[in-house]
Amino acid sequence: MIRLSNIILATAAILAAAATAARAQVLFTEDFQDGDADGWSAGGDGDVGLTQYAGNVSMRLTKSATATIGLRVEGPPRVAISGAFAAQDLERRDGCVLEAAFGDDAFVEMHRIGNGQDDAVTLHRGGGELNVPTAGAVLRVRLRADSNGDDDTCWADDIQVASAVVRESRPLGGPREALFAVDLRSGAAPAVPLPTNAFAPADGAGRPRGSLGGRLTIKPTGAPGFRVLTDRFGFLQKDVPNLRRPPEIIIDVVQSGDRLVPAVRGLTRTDHAAWDVIVDVGRAWREGADGGATRVAFPFALQERNANCTHNGLLTFVIDRRGRPSNAVYQIGSETCAYFQYDIWGAASVDYTPGEIVEAEAIKAAYGRETSGRMPTKPIAALRDDHPGLDAAAFANPADVSPAALTAFGVVVDGVHYRGGCETRYGPYPFCAEIALPSYSVSKSVFAGLGLMRLEKLYPGVKNTLIADHVPQCPKRGWRDVTFENALDMATGRYRSTEREADENAAVQDGFFIVETHAEKIARACGMYPRKSAPGKTWVYHTTDHYVLGSAMQSFLREKAGGDADIHRDLIVEPIWRTLPLSPVAERTRRTRDDVGQPYVGWGLTFLPDDYAKLADFVNAGGGRVGGGSQVDAGMLAAAMQRAPDDAGLSAGGPAFRYNNGFWAWNAAGAAGCDGALWTPFMSGFGGVSVVLMRNGVSYYYVSDGGEYAWARAVAASARYREMC
């Protein structure tokens, strides 16, 4: 066995190669076949060395050992880091990890395998990408055994660093370059993913003749193209049925002008083992080369079953003058999902049954009200012209949010929504206004938070009601003095550890997020953590607390308003969403898959960009008021927005962070140049979702999945533009 020297390596190799638009270039590779590990430094607790099996040499790491190499990167703007692991004796949360970082930045996980992938033979490959901050930056690549047993073993092999493929973004206009009508009628799937302008009108496109309306059934055919970019939970190894095949889509549509409006918009639950589906407003048009046919395109998204990971797609087909549809082509080339990212492309059969849709006129009228009621919207570039003192480059700056991880972002100033983003791996998303954006834990603010604030407005004092009086699964002995507001604050006094994310990760391991019935979820949520302190004293991040709160609120509301009352419909959708108004996509939420149908509360909402902009403005500049009246309890919202000096909330993970009534706050004094504290409220979601609510009335949101939560530049720019201290 070779024992590596425990040294700190600054630079092991010089990488000087330029990325091209078409192919990745390998910059560094290590397969250990030469029998040495020059340049790698060992650390951690355990053994590191080279071993051979069936002629293949791999690096062996045990217990919590690490091996690190430093590589100076010149040239490419983004690099892809990949590798393969085999493992033995992994248990529960044990894993083998490939991670990377530039300079002194924290390591970012590129690839991990865990329990169930530890047959000691099979090499599981994976990887991820990082932006290169500056030419000549040192990239640290680290192999790590993440376990605590002397016999827990990882074998690493085939480590590779390459220039990440950079695809040039094509504008949406221009001549038709792909997907002629003859291609769609052939039923053949494209060989590779297409530029997104294949799903948008070409130059000279005209309005459709006649009117379409009826039922569309779109059923994937054949084996689709499928390319995984990130699989951090090993979904492919879990052999989830039909993971690579989208569900059948059945929609009733009504035409309004050149728009095709589904009768049901937003999340639609399916029986598919992996995916539910979202279909939003599509478009119809005519192109000269289509022989009089009407071309149709829809935005759609696949959302992970019981979760919030959202993969945005496009589909298109033509309908001839006799009402006969061609086959369809679909593809997914973007997502908001930190742990599972992929491209998929293929063909589908289309069945079109023309006919009158029930309440067609009402559907068209509602869509008209929705579009006319959207916040005035301009491209982000217009921010420079409208507000010259506000640095537009500070928002979604690549140094804060990796462009490849960014789905959408926007800035709201004086009631105008300046929208950006909507890039995919194959060009701009043609339906940016309709792109489905997950909430993740933003739901903790706008559902749990605003929901209890609404309930408090209707029934003053309810925030002090005891959880145990309304959730029989939470025993009175353990929850005897925990109030609704304690649960909203994630300060129930019940926890295992105050270490960052430790308890939340325990909930993941325990299966809380994946069990499907209310009975299973509430049993875990009530019993997962022991009593350790008095309620209201210690903040520990728990999605389970908000699930308990939602269950208690549902019980309370039904006692007051009847057995059919529903906290999502009656506290959120009817009084707030429709008053603002938000889109129909926002009106659906994740619920348990049983007769109870309990809303998840702490995650599971989906929004459009206009929804995010309106919600931010509603709680920030609007102060929870719309239509001349307050929709929520003013005192609770003021406390959440750090405007109640006597109710600042609890310290949340460090002295610079607070949490109160479902909202975070960060002391942004340094970024804004203030002499005293500047507590800036924000909402936050898993993977890289931030909604920043600045005291000067400027709001900023971005939806991403690179694990980046950085917006100090935005605060600094906003403070220079308009007083904030």
Side-chain angles (χ1 to χ4, degrees), residues 15-20 23-30 71 73-83 98 100 102 110 125 127-132 139 141 158-166:
L15 307 179
T20 68
R23 68 178 60 174
Q25 185 170 359
V26 176
L27 307 176
F28 168 83
T29 186
E30 175 67 272
L71 310 164
V73 179
E74 304 281 358
R78 187 168 174 84
V79 291
I81 304 100
S82 61
L98 168 66
F102 276 101
M110 299 285 108
R125 185 165 187 81
E129 297 182 0
L130 287 177
N131 285 334
V132 181
L139 173 68
V141 178
D158 194 19
I159 313 305
Q160 189 176 99
V161 179
S163 59
V165 175
V166 179

Side-chain angles (χ1 to χ4, degrees), residues 452-466 470 483-485 553 556-557 560 636:
L452 186 54
M453 294 176 199
R454 176 67 183 175
L455 201 62
E456 180 70 14
K457 181 177 177 63
L458 296 175
Y459 306 101
V462 66
K463 65 182 181 180
N464 299 318
T465 300
L466 297 179
H470 290 276
T483 67
F484 284 22
E485 190 171 19
M553 290 166 58
F556 179 91
L557 184 63
K560 297 294 184 180
M636 289 188 71

Side-chain angles (χ1 to χ4, degrees), residues 482-629:
V482 179
T483 67
F484 284 22
E485 190 171 19
N486 292 150
L488 179 60
D489 289 340
M490 293 196 267
T492 64
R494 300 174 60 86
Y495 53 90
R496 294 179 188 170
S497 172
T498 58
E499 292 296 317
R500 181 177 179 269
E501 296 292 332
D503 273 13
E504 188 75 351
N505 290 336
V508 173
Q509 293 296 325
D510 193 60
F512 167 75
F513 290 94
I514 61 173
V515 295
E516 297 190 337
T517 68
H518 176 61
E520 292 172 300
K521 283 192 184 297
I522 197 63
R524 284 168 164 81
C526 287
M528 191 171 297
Y529 309 110
R531 172 94 170 200
K532 287 209 171 183
S533 67
K537 302 298 183 183
T538 304
W539 174 91
V540 182
Y541 192 86
H542 286 165
T543 298
T544 53
D545 289 349
H546 282 189
Y547 189 81
V548 169
L549 171 63
S551 302
M553 290 166 58
Q554 187 86 307
S555 171
F556 179 91
L557 184 63
R558 286 179 172 177
E559 285 184 5
K560 297 294 184 180
D564 293 331
D566 180 77
I567 55 173
H568 182 246
R569 181 191 65 224
D570 300 328
L571 299 181
I572 299 297
V573 173
E574 293 286 354
I576 303 177
W577 278 201
R578 291 184 179 173
T579 305
L580 285 172
L582 300 192
S583 72
V585 173
E587 294 187 6
R588 288 173 169 253
T589 185
R590 282 279 178 205
R591 295 174 181 266
T592 56
R593 290 179 180 254
D594 54 15
D595 293 339
V596 179
Q598 176 65 31
Y600 284 5
V601 179
W603 78 105
L605 294 172
T606 303
F607 298 118
L608 302 185
D610 182 68
D611 299 329
Y612 263 113
K614 283 178 176 172
L615 282 170
D617 204 48
F618 169 68
V619 297
N620 191 14
R625 301 177 66 87
V626 64

Side-chain angles (χ1 to χ4, degrees), residues 238-419:
K238 293 176 181 176
D239 197 25
V240 178
N242 288 323
L243 180 70
R244 302 167 183 254
R245 189 179 183 86
E248 178 180 271
I249 294 174
I250 302 175
I251 50 173
D252 293 335
V253 297
V254 174
Q255 186 169 332
S256 178
D258 65 348
R259 302 292 169 167
L260 296 173
V261 186
V264 176
R265 294 167 58 193
L267 181 66
T268 299
R269 205 164 67 184
T270 75
D271 293 328
H272 196 280
W275 308 114
D276 291 329
V277 68
I278 299 167
V279 182
D280 208 14
V281 177
R283 188 170 179 181
W285 69 93
R286 289 185 299 109
E287 294 185 8
D290 289 347
T294 296
R295 191 173 283 255
V296 170
F298 282 99
F300 76 98
L302 301 185
Q303 194 170 90
E304 184 186 346
R305 182 182 174 103
N306 302 320
N308 227 172
C309 264
T310 303
H311 303 259
N312 292 108
L314 301 161
L315 67 88
T316 189
F317 56 92
V318 295
I319 298 178
D320 68 18
R321 293 178 178 179
R322 297 174 62 182
R324 296 175 302 187
S326 70
N327 291 290
V329 164
Y330 66 88
Q331 74 180 43
I332 288 173
S334 67
E335 64 282 305
T336 307
C337 186
Y339 51 82
F340 190 51
Q341 301 171 356
Y342 62 86
D343 291 336
I344 186 170
W345 63 98
S349 65
V350 180
D351 180 72
Y352 171 48
T353 305
E356 288 294 323
I357 301 302
V358 176
E359 298 185 342
E361 292 305 315
I363 292 169
K364 288 192 283 188
Y367 179 65
R369 290 192 298 272
E370 177 193 346
T371 53
S372 64
R374 285 177 179 165
M375 184 177 287
T377 303
K378 296 183 179 182
I380 192 67
L383 192 61
R384 294 181 175 89
D385 299 328
D386 293 355
H387 303 276
L390 185 57
D391 181 12
F395 301 96
N397 188 285
D400 293 336
V401 187
S402 303
L406 182 65
T407 302
F409 74 98
V411 184
V412 180
V413 186
D414 299 338
V416 177
H417 177 199
Y418 298 89
R419 190 181 68 201

Side-chain angles (χ1 to χ4, degrees), residues 211-222:
S211 181
L212 299 175
R215 172 159 293 184
L216 287 167
T217 302
I218 300 159
K219 185 181 297 185
T221 58

Side-chain angles (χ1 to χ4, degrees), residues 150-170:
D150 292 335
D151 294 330
D152 299 343
T153 305
C154 300
W155 289 274
D157 205 346
D158 194 19
I159 313 305
Q160 189 176 99
V161 179
S163 59
V165 175
V166 179
R167 299 178 177 88
E168 295 181 0
S169 175
R170 302 189 185 194

